[in-house]
């Protein structure tokens, strides 16, 4: 049975495959709107700030460690971090913690903008406990900046090294005065042909700025940088790896109590944001070199780790079944090795679909409260690659059985949109309850974040489907059989 409803899902998905790369331009961040006269109250100062920019992966990761001090006479809990509007739309996975008490978890953050058009927007960080006057706290603010690396030169030969350029501010953008600060850049290796040098008067020690040591650059130390000050700089460094970006990932997980199955399907729209090819692609040259496995800026393959127990995988692209893939089942982890039909060089796109089945009992628990179930699944699975992958938009759907109600979810992945609707396939009477979640600007580091979905599913709901299929004579027989299979799957999930 599992395959029939799943097939229906595939057909529905197939029709939207070509056109689904829809509205990437639609505004993505939910905002609290502020009057244009707003400026963050000057209740904090930054005593000491270090920004680390890590360029090891195909997207920059930035971490700001800052000691903040309340310079107001009252306790304060709202800390603002400004970004240029053009930059804030590229920021993903923005998380703030207490550097000295990481166990306190992630602080509440919101994006706030202005009612008038403005070149600045803010992340508003709410400290879990207000900071007393004169007290200090060390924040660790981490985020990724997507689609911000540019190949220079933009076109290179097939076996050339690739160089990427990143532009950022040597002063960390802040809503407050910063007494002391540095910006450290870590490159994948020491091949850094270009970087902006700043006048030595700017920094406290009056020495060459930045200082380069192997694969790191340090800008600063800068003293008493005023709120809002920026100092743009660029670096250009070797990165002969693909810059893989999914403009869109659609991920469906379909729960079948009846079949005891969790069917997953993922549809990817990838683009390599690295350098384009200067000349035509030469397959002869490509094959001649391939046995040496040299570094390349082309995307050659993707490894998709799946949970152990994943079965029936498939991999199709616009043309059809891609037979160059391999599936390695495993006790700890199953691995789906995908090879696109051609190496994907910079500016080239590749769309494909993968899917697999898994035993529902390893994901579903029946809560003691009777008819309530809890489903725990990874929010994102997706390829694992040393250089990383970024996702512009992830649309996740959890398709629950017909008759499931009272759907709730929880995850530490920042969700920008959520809704519950009915998803009708050809054998359903009511349509399946479907939870749709959207996240933007994710990176592969979010692979291990869980999504927990709870819902009520009265046992009578299980009758609906067999009645539709068999009608009349077989109805009673079928219902008894279905009931039997529900019982065993519940039993299994209790044991697991
Ligand atoms: C698709 O390709 C795989 C190999 O990756 C092969 O095992 C499978 O039989 C193919 N399926 C179809 C329908 O051609
Ligand atoms: C889900 O969306 C509603 C509005 O449609 C919003 O009020 C609610 O906060 C959202 N829930 C989460 C957890 O994001
Ligand atoms: C391709 C596509 O569907 N574009 C639509 C994006 O959204 C705007 C307004 O919301 C539509 O006008 C476009 O047609």
């Amino acid at each position: 049975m599992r395959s029939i409803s799943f097939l229906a899902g595939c057909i529905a998905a197939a029709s939207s495959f070509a056109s689904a790369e829809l509205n990437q331009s639609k505004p993505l961040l939910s905002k609290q709107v502020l009057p244009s006269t707003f400026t963050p109250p000057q209740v904090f100062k930054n005593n000491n700030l270090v920004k680390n920019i890590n360029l090891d992966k195909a997207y920059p990761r930035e971490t700001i460690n800052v000691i903040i001090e309340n310079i107001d006479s009252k306790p304060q809990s709202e800390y603002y971090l400004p970004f240029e509007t053009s930059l804030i739309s590229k920021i993903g996975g923005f998380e703030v913690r207490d550097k000295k008490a990481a166990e306190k978890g992630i602080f509440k953050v919101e994006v706030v903008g202005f009612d008038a058009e403005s070149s600045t927007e803010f992340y508003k960080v709410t400290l879990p406990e207000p900071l007393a006057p004169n007290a200090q706290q060390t924040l660790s603010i981490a985020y990724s900046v997507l689609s911000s690396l540019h190949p220079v030169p933009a076109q290179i030969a097939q076996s050339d090294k690739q160089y990427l350029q990143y532009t950022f501010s040597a002063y960390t953008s802040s809503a407050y005065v910063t007494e002391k600060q540095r910006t450290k850049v870590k490159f994948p290796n020491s091949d850094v042909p270009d970087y902006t040098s700043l006048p030595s008067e700017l920094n406290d020690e009056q020495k060459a700025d930045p200082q380069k040591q192997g694969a790191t650059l340090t800008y600063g130390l800068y003293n008493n940088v005023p709120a809002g000050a920026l100092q743009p700089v660029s670096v250009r460094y070797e990165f002969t790896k693909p810059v893989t970006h999914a403009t869109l990932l659609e991920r469906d997980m379909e729960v079948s109590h009846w079949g005891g199955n969790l069917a997953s399907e993922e549809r990817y729209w990838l683009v390599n944001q690295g350098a384009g090819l200067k000349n035509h692609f030469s397959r002869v040259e490509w094959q001649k070199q391939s046995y040496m496995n040299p570094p390349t800026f082309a995307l050659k393959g993707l490894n998709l780790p799946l949970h152990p127990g994943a079965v029936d995988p498939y991999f199709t692209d616009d043309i059809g079944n891609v037979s160059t893939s391999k599936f390695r089942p495993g006790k700890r982890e199953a691995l789906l090795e995908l090879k696109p039909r051609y190496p994907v060089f910079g500016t080239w796109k590749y769309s494909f679909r993968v899917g697999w089945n898994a035993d529902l009992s390893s994901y579903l628990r029946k809560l003691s409260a009777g008819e309530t179930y809890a489903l725990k699944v990874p929010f994102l699975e997706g390829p694992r690659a040393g250089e990383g992958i970024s996702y512009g938009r992830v649309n996740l759907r959890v398709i629950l059985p017909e008759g499931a109600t009272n759907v709730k979810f929880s995850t530490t992945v920042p969700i920008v949109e959520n809704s519950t609707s009915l998803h009708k396939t050809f054998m359903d009477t009511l349509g399946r309850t479907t939870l749709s979640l959207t996240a933007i600007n994710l990176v592969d580091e979010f692979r291990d974040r869980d999504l927990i979905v709870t819902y009520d599913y009265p046992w009578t709901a299980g009758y609906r489907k067999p009645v539709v299929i068999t009608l009349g004579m077989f109805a009673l027989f079928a219902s008894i059989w279905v009931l039997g299979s529900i019982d065993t799957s519940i039993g299994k999930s209790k044991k697991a």
Side-chain angles (χ1 to χ4, degrees):
M1 248 322 106
R2 62 164 68 154
S3 56
I4 295 182
S5 64
F6 186 60
L7 202 71
C10 290
I11 293 164
S15 55
S16 65
F17 195 52
S19 63
E21 199 178 356
L22 302 164
N23 258 309
Q24 304 300 325
S25 56
K26 147 174 159 183
L28 292 171
L29 293 166
S30 50
K31 283 178 204 159
Q32 182 183 323
V33 175
L34 298 170
S36 53
T37 50
F38 174 83
T39 50
Q42 294 297 299
V43 295
F44 291 106
K45 74 174 171 157
N46 301 320
N47 281 346
N48 198 345
L49 183 153
V50 176
K51 174 156 88 170
N52 292 296
I53 300 178
N54 189 325
L55 298 173
D56 273 347
K57 288 203 171 194
Y59 47 85
R61 291 173 291 164
E62 302 194 350
T63 309
I64 300 169
N65 292 319
V66 55
I67 301 172
I68 64 168
E69 181 178 326
N70 179 358
I71 53 171
D72 197 41
S73 54
K74 295 193 202 74
Q76 295 293 339
S77 59
E78 287 179 357
Y79 182 87
Y80 287 87
L81 197 69
F83 285 99
E84 286 178 75
T85 305
S86 56
L87 180 59
I88 208 165
S89 62
K90 296 178 178 176
I91 287 183
F94 187 94
E95 289 182 344
V96 182
R97 293 180 169 79
D98 186 325
K99 176 121 176 95
K100 292 182 175 160
E103 73 282 354
K104 282 188 190 158
I106 306 167
F107 295 0
K108 181 181 167 207
V109 294
E110 296 166 83
V111 173
V112 292
F114 292 113
D115 52 5
E117 271 187 34
S118 156
S119 60
T120 306
E121 295 189 5
F122 295 91
Y123 271 100
K124 182 172 94 178
V125 180
T126 306
L127 307 178
E129 287 146 33
L131 197 59
N134 301 318
Q136 297 185 350
Q137 185 166 15
T138 308
L139 304 183
S140 176
I141 303 168
Y143 53 91
S144 304
V145 191
L146 278 71
S147 303
S148 55
L149 299 173
H150 301 288
V152 179
Q155 290 187 321
I156 56 179
Q158 195 167 313
S159 49
D160 279 356
K161 284 183 179 179
Q162 174 178 261
Y163 288 88
L164 299 180
Q165 183 173 315
Y166 184 50
T167 300
F168 54 93
S169 174
Y171 297 161
T172 296
S173 166
S174 178
Y176 313 102
V177 171
T178 306
E179 284 191 346
K180 285 185 188 333
Q181 68 168 304
R182 284 192 164 88
T183 295
K184 293 184 183 172
V185 189
K186 182 167 176 292
F187 299 97
N189 59 58
S190 57
D191 186 359
V192 184
D194 296 304
Y195 51 86
T196 309
S197 289
L198 294 176
S200 56
E201 308 80 78
L202 288 182
N203 75 80
D204 184 51
E205 289 120 338
Q206 306 257 315
K207 58 187 185 189
D209 191 27
Q211 297 281 311
K212 183 167 187 290
Q213 248 190 339
T216 58
L217 271 191
T218 306
Y219 282 96
L221 181 91
Y222 306 117
N223 276 335
N224 297 318
V225 175
L230 294 176
Q231 179 60 63
V233 293
S234 287
V235 295
R236 193 169 76 91
Y237 59 99
E238 195 242 334
F239 189 89
T240 310
K241 291 173 187 170
V243 184
T244 311
H245 177 72
T247 48
L248 175 65
L249 163 63
E250 291 181 345
R251 173 163 153 82
D252 290 350
M253 276 171 290
E254 184 173 344
V255 173
S256 164
H257 281 218
W258 190 21
N261 190 51
L262 179 70
S264 301
E265 178 168 285
E266 300 189 323
R267 298 176 291 280
Y268 290 86
W269 284 263
L270 296 185
V271 59
N272 183 345
Q273 296 179 325
L277 271 186
K278 194 157 66 176
N279 309 308
H280 285 292
F281 171 56
S282 158
R283 196 166 277 277
V284 176
E285 191 193 335
W286 179 257
Q287 256 145 17
K288 229 172 23 189
Q289 292 197 338
S290 66
Y291 73 97
M292 281 161 41
N293 202 20
T296 173
F297 59 106
L299 176 65
K300 293 192 295 186
L302 291 163
N303 286 337
L304 224 96
L306 302 178
H307 278 227
V311 291
D312 320 328
Y314 59 88
F315 170 36
T316 62
D317 64 10
D318 294 336
I319 302 172
N321 192 25
V322 188
S323 56
T324 46
S325 55
K326 281 202 201 90
F327 180 62
R328 301 180 197 280
K331 283 218 175 77
R332 277 204 206 126
E333 171 178 288
L335 191 65
L336 192 54
E337 297 176 1
L338 310 178
K339 275 217 183 329
R341 287 175 199 274
Y342 50 86
V344 182
F345 288 94
T347 73
W348 293 6
K349 293 180 178 175
Y350 190 62
S351 310
F352 63 92
R353 169 187 313 148
V354 290
W356 61 92
N357 286 316
D359 191 346
L360 184 62
S361 63
S362 17
Y363 299 92
L364 193 70
R365 296 278 180 282
K366 189 171 198 239
L367 301 182
S368 52
E371 295 177 338
T372 303
Y373 291 82
L375 178 77
K376 185 170 122 183
V377 289
F379 186 89
L380 191 68
E381 288 182 85
R384 185 170 59 199
E387 69 275 10
I389 293 178
S390 57
Y391 299 85
R393 187 177 187 97
V394 178
N395 290 341
L396 177 88
R397 289 194 303 179
V398 181
I399 303 162
L400 299 170
E402 276 201 283
T405 55
N406 194 20
V407 181
K408 295 183 184 135
F409 70 94
S410 118
T411 177
T412 57
V413 175
I415 300 296
V416 294
E417 274 167 35
N418 73 85
S419 66
T420 308
S421 60
L422 291 180
H423 171 74
K424 207 161 181 174
T425 62
F426 66 88
M427 290 207 307
D428 299 332
T429 46
L430 296 178
R432 291 151 190 256
T433 309
T434 299
L435 172 68
S436 304
L437 302 176
T438 298
I440 56 159
N441 295 353
L442 291 187
V443 295
D444 54 319
E445 285 168 5
F446 279 75
R447 285 186 88 257
D448 298 325
R449 302 287 177 96
D450 286 324
L451 167 68
I452 295 172
V453 180
T454 61
Y455 56 95
D456 294 344
Y457 183 62
W459 67 274
T460 46
Y463 278 112
R464 206 167 276 127
K465 174 163 272 163
V467 169
V468 171
I469 297 163
T470 59
L471 299 165
M473 288 288 288
F474 290 103
L476 185 63
F477 175 75
S479 328
I480 291 165
W481 185 80
V482 166
L483 266 181
S485 77
I486 287 178
D487 280 350
T488 50
S489 67
I490 294 165
K492 255 193 242 161
S493 66
K494 268 187 188 149
K495 260 180 272 157

